[in-house]
Amino acid sequence: MGAMEKIKEIEAEVARTQKNKATNYHLGTLKAKLAKLRNDLLVEQSGGGGGGSSEGFDVARLGDARVAFIGFPSVGKSTLLGELTGTDSEVADYEFTTLTCIPGTMRYKGSKVQVLDLPGIIEGAAHGKGRGKEVIACARASDAILIVLDAGKEGLNRHRDILEQELETVGIRLNKRPPDVTFSKKMTGGIRFASTVELTKLGPDPEKLAMQIMREYKISNADILAREDISVDELIDVIVGNRQYMPALYFYNKIDTITIEEVDKL
């Protein structure tokens, strides 16, 4: 069974498992396995693309900050780039007009902001669909993300939820801060787990759950100190250690195609 099949199998088991105190330990173990498989798959994809796989996406970093435009095809990313930077990016009435990364520079209060118009991504981009690997790599190398959405399609298509999930899958945490947890590996001494607050989200035995998660990553010696009430997902993020916490804004295009009542629901 390949990595993708294992991921889908575990995702299905997580979805059908009831969430309560009795299943917290089991769910935590499943989520640790899932995070490890996803991480291994990303490493494999990034290392196995071969020469030239990222052609058109290796853009030199310029200016004081970099912002990546993320969105589905034909939501207006290229038009927005032109309005903000004056850069010409091909615009058409069909999908996938932009096939590579198109950079532009926007000036704001004396600062130069590099803006990247990236090809539209589709569901499954986190696993490489539709050049998703290259698009997400550009997003990870940015300082902030602007998620561009078509207001007229959002009510039915849930594009915002899908994009957030794709970025979450590859370890990008939008508008979140790192958990207040100290984690350090060591050579000997086993695993020591402690907290300065009550942990209500890790089940009846947080230390047991933490040790099981670390066993999934073959960690036998480490110290963990939690200073806030963390969830299982946050604990896994700390242990994995390669998550990126990035600010994000949401830009709704074609807002004139929906009613005031629909705007309030966005």
Side-chain angles (χ1 to χ4, degrees):
M1 183 183 295
M4 278 302 303
E5 288 75 19
K6 290 180 181 177
I7 288 172
K8 291 178 180 178
E9 185 178 272
I10 295 175
E11 286 176 337
E13 186 172 353
V14 169
R16 64 173 176 262
T17 301
Q18 289 187 332
K19 297 173 177 61
N20 53 54
K21 289 184 178 180
T23 62
N24 198 280
Y25 179 76
H26 178 59
L27 280 171
T29 304
L30 289 176
K31 288 182 176 182
K33 291 178 183 290
L34 188 58
K36 188 174 187 305
L37 283 169
R38 285 172 173 169
N39 191 64
D40 291 346
L41 185 62
L42 287 171
V43 171
E44 179 183 328
Q45 289 175 340
S46 63
S53 63
S54 61
E55 183 179 353
F57 289 84
D58 295 327
V59 176
R61 190 181 183 95
L62 297 173
D64 301 296
R66 171 184 276 189
V67 177
F69 287 0
I70 296 289
F72 273 72
S74 298
V75 294
K77 298 186 299 297
S78 298
T79 300
L80 181 60
L81 177 78
E83 291 294 325
L84 292 176
T85 69
T87 301
D88 289 329
S89 184
E90 186 178 354
V91 178
D93 292 330
Y94 51 85
E95 295 186 346
F96 299 106
T97 309
T98 302
L99 300 176
T100 60
C101 175
I102 308 297
T105 302
M106 178 180 73
R107 295 181 180 273
Y108 180 73
K109 292 185 177 181
S111 299
K112 289 184 179 180
V113 180
Q114 185 180 50
V115 179
L116 304 181
D117 175 19
L118 298 171
I121 64 175
I122 58 177
E123 193 167 4
H127 302 305
K129 286 186 178 180
R131 301 215 74 175
K133 180 179 68 173
E134 291 87 350
V135 172
I136 289 172
C138 284
R140 290 183 68 94
S142 300
D143 300 301
I145 290 176
L146 184 72
I147 294 182
V148 184
L149 301 158
D150 184 331
K153 297 178 180 179
E154 185 60 21
L156 292 175
N157 296 324
R158 302 183 305 103
H159 284 173
R160 174 171 174 165
D161 292 341
I162 293 170
L163 292 170
E164 288 176 339
Q165 183 57 48
E166 293 295 323
L167 295 172
E168 182 88 7
T169 297
V170 297
I172 296 176
R173 304 292 180 254
L174 300 179
N175 296 328
K176 295 179 180 178
R177 61 171 179 79
D180 190 4
V181 178
T182 300
F183 172 67
S184 56
K185 296 180 184 179
K186 54 188 182 181
M187 297 300 294
T188 60
I191 294 172
R192 292 195 303 175
F193 182 89
S195 65
T196 60
V197 298
E198 181 182 4
L199 300 176
T200 65
K201 304 174 186 177
L202 298 180
D205 193 342
E207 183 174 2
K208 179 183 177 183
L209 179 58
M211 292 181 71
Q212 176 59 29
I213 291 173
M214 282 189 280
R215 274 196 287 269
E216 290 294 330
Y217 289 91
K218 296 181 172 56
I219 298 172
S220 303
N221 302 286
D223 291 333
I224 300 181
L225 175 61
R227 299 185 184 87
E228 66 174 288
D229 189 12
I230 57 172
S231 66
V232 172
D233 293 318
E234 289 171 326
L235 176 58
I236 292 171
D237 284 350
V238 170
I239 293 171
V240 173
N242 63 352
R243 305 315 194 205
Q244 282 187 269
Y245 298 84
M246 304 179 67
L249 291 174
Y250 298 84
F251 180 90
Y252 287 93
N253 194 19
K254 306 175 186 177
I255 202 76
D256 56 330
T257 64
I258 62 175
T259 66
I260 294 298
E261 289 75 18
E262 289 172 321
V263 170
D264 291 337
K265 294 178 182 178
L266 292 176

Short mmCIF file of all heavy atoms in Angstrom, two decimals, residues 173-204:
data_model
loop_
_atom_site.label_atom_id
_atom_site.label_comp_id
_atom_site.label_asym_id
_atom_site.label_seq_id
_atom_site.Cartn_x
_atom_site.Cartn_y
_atom_site.Cartn_z
N ARG A 173 0.43 27.31 8.72
CA ARG A 173 -0.60 27.68 9.69
C ARG A 173 -0.93 29.16 9.49
O ARG A 173 -0.08 30.03 9.71
CB ARG A 173 -0.12 27.42 11.12
CG ARG A 173 0.32 25.96 11.36
CD ARG A 173 -0.87 25.02 11.29
NE ARG A 173 -0.49 23.64 11.53
CZ ARG A 173 -0.41 22.72 10.57
NH1 ARG A 173 -0.66 23.06 9.31
NH2 ARG A 173 -0.09 21.48 10.86
N LEU A 174 -2.15 29.43 9.07
CA LEU A 174 -2.55 30.80 8.74
C LEU A 174 -3.08 31.53 9.98
O LEU A 174 -3.95 31.02 10.69
CB LEU A 174 -3.63 30.78 7.66
CG LEU A 174 -3.25 30.14 6.33
CD1 LEU A 174 -4.43 30.18 5.38
CD2 LEU A 174 -2.03 30.81 5.71
N ASN A 175 -2.55 32.74 10.19
CA ASN A 175 -3.02 33.62 11.27
C ASN A 175 -3.03 32.93 12.63
O ASN A 175 -3.94 33.11 13.44
CB ASN A 175 -4.43 34.15 10.94
CG ASN A 175 -4.43 35.02 9.70
OD1 ASN A 175 -3.45 35.70 9.41
ND2 ASN A 175 -5.51 34.98 8.95
N LYS A 176 -2.02 32.11 12.85
CA LYS A 176 -1.85 31.45 14.14
C LYS A 176 -0.44 31.73 14.65
O LYS A 176 0.46 32.03 13.87
CB LYS A 176 -2.05 29.94 14.02
CG LYS A 176 -3.45 29.51 13.63
CD LYS A 176 -3.53 27.99 13.52
CE LYS A 176 -4.93 27.52 13.13
NZ LYS A 176 -4.99 26.04 12.98
N ARG A 177 -0.27 31.62 15.94
CA ARG A 177 1.08 31.73 16.52
C ARG A 177 1.54 30.34 16.97
O ARG A 177 0.70 29.47 17.25
CB ARG A 177 1.07 32.69 17.71
CG ARG A 177 0.16 32.27 18.84
CD ARG A 177 0.37 33.14 20.07
NE ARG A 177 -0.52 32.76 21.15
CZ ARG A 177 -0.32 31.72 21.95
NH1 ARG A 177 0.73 30.94 21.78
NH2 ARG A 177 -1.17 31.44 22.91
N PRO A 178 2.85 30.12 17.05
CA PRO A 178 3.34 28.82 17.52
C PRO A 178 2.86 28.55 18.95
O PRO A 178 2.77 29.47 19.76
CB PRO A 178 4.87 28.98 17.47
CG PRO A 178 5.10 30.08 16.50
CD PRO A 178 3.95 31.03 16.66
N PRO A 179 2.53 27.31 19.26
CA PRO A 179 2.12 26.97 20.63
C PRO A 179 3.24 27.30 21.63
O PRO A 179 4.43 27.18 21.31
CB PRO A 179 1.87 25.47 20.57
CG PRO A 179 1.63 25.17 19.12
CD PRO A 179 2.47 26.15 18.36
N ASP A 180 2.84 27.70 22.82
CA ASP A 180 3.82 28.03 23.87
C ASP A 180 4.28 26.74 24.53
O ASP A 180 3.87 26.40 25.64
CB ASP A 180 3.18 28.98 24.89
CG ASP A 180 4.22 29.55 25.86
OD1 ASP A 180 5.43 29.25 25.69
OD2 ASP A 180 3.82 30.27 26.79
N VAL A 181 5.12 26.03 23.81
CA VAL A 181 5.62 24.72 24.26
C VAL A 181 7.11 24.65 23.96
O VAL A 181 7.55 24.99 22.86
CB VAL A 181 4.90 23.56 23.54
CG1 VAL A 181 5.47 22.22 24.00
CG2 VAL A 181 3.40 23.61 23.79
N THR A 182 7.88 24.21 24.96
CA THR A 182 9.31 23.98 24.77
C THR A 182 9.53 22.50 24.52
O THR A 182 9.09 21.66 25.31
CB THR A 182 10.11 24.41 26.00
OG1 THR A 182 9.90 25.81 26.23
CG2 THR A 182 11.60 24.17 25.79
N PHE A 183 10.19 22.19 23.42
CA PHE A 183 10.47 20.79 23.07
C PHE A 183 11.94 20.67 22.70
O PHE A 183 12.42 21.39 21.82
CB PHE A 183 9.59 20.35 21.90
CG PHE A 183 9.94 18.99 21.36
CD1 PHE A 183 9.75 17.85 22.11
CD2 PHE A 183 10.48 18.87 20.08
CE1 PHE A 183 10.07 16.60 21.60
CE2 PHE A 183 10.80 17.63 19.56
CZ PHE A 183 10.60 16.49 20.32
N SER A 184 12.65 19.80 23.35
CA SER A 184 14.07 19.62 23.04
C SER A 184 14.44 18.14 23.14
O SER A 184 14.12 17.47 24.12
CB SER A 184 14.94 20.44 23.99
OG SER A 184 14.67 20.10 25.34
N LYS A 185 15.09 17.67 22.07
CA LYS A 185 15.58 16.28 22.08
C LYS A 185 16.89 16.21 22.86
O LYS A 185 17.60 17.21 22.99
CB LYS A 185 15.83 15.81 20.64
CG LYS A 185 14.57 15.74 19.79
CD LYS A 185 14.92 15.27 18.39
CE LYS A 185 13.72 15.27 17.48
NZ LYS A 185 14.05 14.83 16.10
N LYS A 186 17.20 15.05 23.37
CA LYS A 186 18.45 14.85 24.09
C LYS A 186 18.97 13.44 23.82
O LYS A 186 18.29 12.62 23.19
CB LYS A 186 18.23 15.09 25.59
CG LYS A 186 17.12 14.26 26.20
CD LYS A 186 16.82 14.67 27.64
CE LYS A 186 15.73 13.80 28.24
NZ LYS A 186 15.41 14.19 29.63
N MET A 187 20.16 13.17 24.27
CA MET A 187 20.80 11.89 23.97
C MET A 187 20.30 10.76 24.87
O MET A 187 20.14 9.63 24.43
CB MET A 187 22.32 12.03 24.10
CG MET A 187 22.93 13.02 23.12
SD MET A 187 22.65 12.58 21.38
CE MET A 187 23.60 11.06 21.27
N THR A 188 20.10 11.06 26.14
CA THR A 188 19.68 10.03 27.11
C THR A 188 18.64 10.63 28.05
O THR A 188 18.31 11.81 27.98
CB THR A 188 20.89 9.55 27.94
OG1 THR A 188 21.45 10.68 28.64
CG2 THR A 188 21.96 8.92 27.06
N GLY A 189 18.15 9.79 28.95
CA GLY A 189 17.26 10.27 30.00
C GLY A 189 15.79 10.02 29.79
O GLY A 189 14.95 10.36 30.63
N GLY A 190 15.42 9.45 28.62
CA GLY A 190 14.02 9.16 28.37
C GLY A 190 13.21 10.41 28.06
O GLY A 190 13.74 11.47 27.74
N ILE A 191 11.91 10.30 28.19
CA ILE A 191 10.99 11.40 27.88
C ILE A 191 10.45 11.99 29.18
O ILE A 191 9.94 11.28 30.05
CB ILE A 191 9.82 10.91 27.00
CG1 ILE A 191 10.36 10.48 25.63
CG2 ILE A 191 8.77 12.01 26.84
CD1 ILE A 191 9.32 9.82 24.75
N ARG A 192 10.58 13.30 29.30
CA ARG A 192 10.01 14.01 30.45
C ARG A 192 8.96 14.99 29.95
O ARG A 192 9.25 15.82 29.09
CB ARG A 192 11.11 14.75 31.23
CG ARG A 192 12.09 13.81 31.94
CD ARG A 192 12.92 14.55 32.96
NE ARG A 192 13.65 15.66 32.38
CZ ARG A 192 14.37 16.54 33.08
NH1 ARG A 192 14.44 16.41 34.40
NH2 ARG A 192 15.00 17.51 32.48
N PHE A 193 7.76 14.87 30.48
CA PHE A 193 6.64 15.70 30.04
C PHE A 193 6.09 16.46 31.24
O PHE A 193 5.82 15.87 32.28
CB PHE A 193 5.54 14.83 29.43
CG PHE A 193 4.37 15.61 28.90
CD1 PHE A 193 4.35 16.08 27.61
CD2 PHE A 193 3.28 15.88 29.72
CE1 PHE A 193 3.27 16.80 27.12
CE2 PHE A 193 2.19 16.60 29.24
CZ PHE A 193 2.19 17.06 27.94
N ALA A 194 5.95 17.79 31.08
CA ALA A 194 5.43 18.60 32.18
C ALA A 194 4.61 19.75 31.60
O ALA A 194 4.71 20.08 30.42
CB ALA A 194 6.58 19.14 33.03
N SER A 195 3.77 20.35 32.44
CA SER A 195 2.98 21.49 32.02
C SER A 195 2.79 22.44 33.19
O SER A 195 2.81 22.03 34.35
CB SER A 195 1.62 21.04 31.49
OG SER A 195 0.86 20.44 32.53
N THR A 196 2.62 23.72 32.87
CA THR A 196 2.37 24.72 33.91
C THR A 196 0.89 25.09 34.00
O THR A 196 0.52 25.91 34.83
CB THR A 196 3.19 26.00 33.61
OG1 THR A 196 2.79 26.52 32.33
CG2 THR A 196 4.68 25.69 33.59
N VAL A 197 0.07 24.48 33.11
CA VAL A 197 -1.37 24.72 33.12
C VAL A 197 -2.09 23.38 33.02
O VAL A 197 -1.50 22.35 32.66
CB VAL A 197 -1.80 25.63 31.94
CG1 VAL A 197 -1.16 27.00 32.04
CG2 VAL A 197 -1.45 24.98 30.60
N GLU A 198 -3.37 23.38 33.30
CA GLU A 198 -4.17 22.16 33.14
C GLU A 198 -4.36 21.89 31.64
O GLU A 198 -4.72 22.78 30.88
CB GLU A 198 -5.53 22.32 33.82
CG GLU A 198 -6.39 21.06 33.72
CD GLU A 198 -7.76 21.24 34.35
OE1 GLU A 198 -8.06 22.36 34.80
OE2 GLU A 198 -8.52 20.25 34.37
N LEU A 199 -4.13 20.65 31.24
CA LEU A 199 -4.27 20.26 29.85
C LEU A 199 -5.60 19.52 29.67
O LEU A 199 -5.75 18.37 30.08
CB LEU A 199 -3.10 19.38 29.41
CG LEU A 199 -1.71 20.02 29.53
CD1 LEU A 199 -0.63 19.02 29.17
CD2 LEU A 199 -1.61 21.26 28.65
N THR A 200 -6.56 20.19 29.05
CA THR A 200 -7.91 19.65 28.93
C THR A 200 -8.19 19.02 27.56
O THR A 200 -9.24 18.41 27.37
CB THR A 200 -8.96 20.75 29.18
OG1 THR A 200 -8.85 21.74 28.14
CG2 THR A 200 -8.73 21.42 30.52
N LYS A 201 -7.26 19.18 26.61
CA LYS A 201 -7.51 18.73 25.24
C LYS A 201 -6.72 17.48 24.85
O LYS A 201 -6.82 17.02 23.72
CB LYS A 201 -7.17 19.86 24.26
CG LYS A 201 -7.91 21.17 24.53
CD LYS A 201 -7.41 22.28 23.63
CE LYS A 201 -8.02 23.62 23.98
NZ LYS A 201 -7.47 24.72 23.15
N LEU A 202 -5.96 16.93 25.78
CA LEU A 202 -5.11 15.77 25.48
C LEU A 202 -5.60 14.51 26.17
O LEU A 202 -4.84 13.55 26.33
CB LEU A 202 -3.66 16.05 25.86
CG LEU A 202 -2.96 17.21 25.14
CD1 LEU A 202 -1.53 17.36 25.62
CD2 LEU A 202 -2.98 16.99 23.62
N GLY A 203 -6.87 14.51 26.57
CA GLY A 203 -7.43 13.32 27.17
C GLY A 203 -7.07 13.16 28.64
O GLY A 203 -6.45 14.04 29.25
N PRO A 204 -7.45 12.02 29.23
CA PRO A 204 -7.23 11.82 30.67
C PRO A 204 -5.77 11.65 31.07
O PRO A 204 -5.41 11.84 32.23
CB PRO A 204 -8.02 10.53 30.97
CG PRO A 204 -8.12 9.83 29.64
CD PRO A 204 -8.17 10.91 28.61
#
